Amino acid sequence: MAITKSAKKAIRQNKTRRAHNLAYINKIKSILKDVKTFVAKKMTKEAKELLPKAYAILDKAAKVGIIKKNNASRRKSRLARMIDKISK
């Protein structure tokens, strides 16, 4: 357990930051899961409609520092490739 005042403050900060970060992570996971289920069911139109939302969430998470910029870029690229594959 933390003893010093600064250590106690650090614990409080970590709690709030973790909650904030988890909100982004859960948004990312849920929207990617939705897109992947649409792709699995070959529902191209619905997947394409969700794509801009997925891009926005990934970009925001990268901007805030939840994930790295290249990680967001890689995920966006893979999503687009998945959707292109089923649309052909």
Side-chain angles (χ1 to χ4, degrees):
M1 190 64 205
I3 296 170
T4 62
K5 195 174 180 182
S6 60
K8 289 177 184 176
K9 181 179 177 181
I11 289 172
R12 287 196 312 270
Q13 286 176 328
N14 287 340
K15 266 187 182 175
T16 56
R17 287 178 183 155
R18 176 155 175 78
H20 183 255
N21 292 347
L22 277 175
Y24 277 103
I25 291 168
N26 290 336
K27 278 184 197 173
I28 291 171
K29 283 183 181 179
S30 67
I31 200 145
L32 292 183
K33 186 177 180 181
D34 291 344
V35 172
K36 287 177 184 177
T37 55
F38 285 140
V39 168
K41 294 178 182 177
K42 299 200 185 307
M43 300 170 82
T44 311
K45 185 182 174 194
E46 290 83 351
K48 283 185 179 179
E49 287 173 2
L50 268 184
L51 202 59
K53 287 181 184 176
Y55 280 5
I57 290 172
L58 287 168
D59 287 337
K60 178 70 174 178
K63 181 181 174 190
V64 177
I66 309 301
I67 59 175
K68 304 254 180 183
K69 190 177 126 189
N70 286 344
N71 186 324
S73 182
R74 182 181 68 241
R75 289 182 186 203
K76 287 175 2 185
S77 173
R78 287 181 180 170
L79 279 178
R81 242 188 334 183
M82 269 194 279
I83 292 171
D84 281 345
K85 199 179 266 188
I86 64 161
S87 64
K88 290 181 181 176

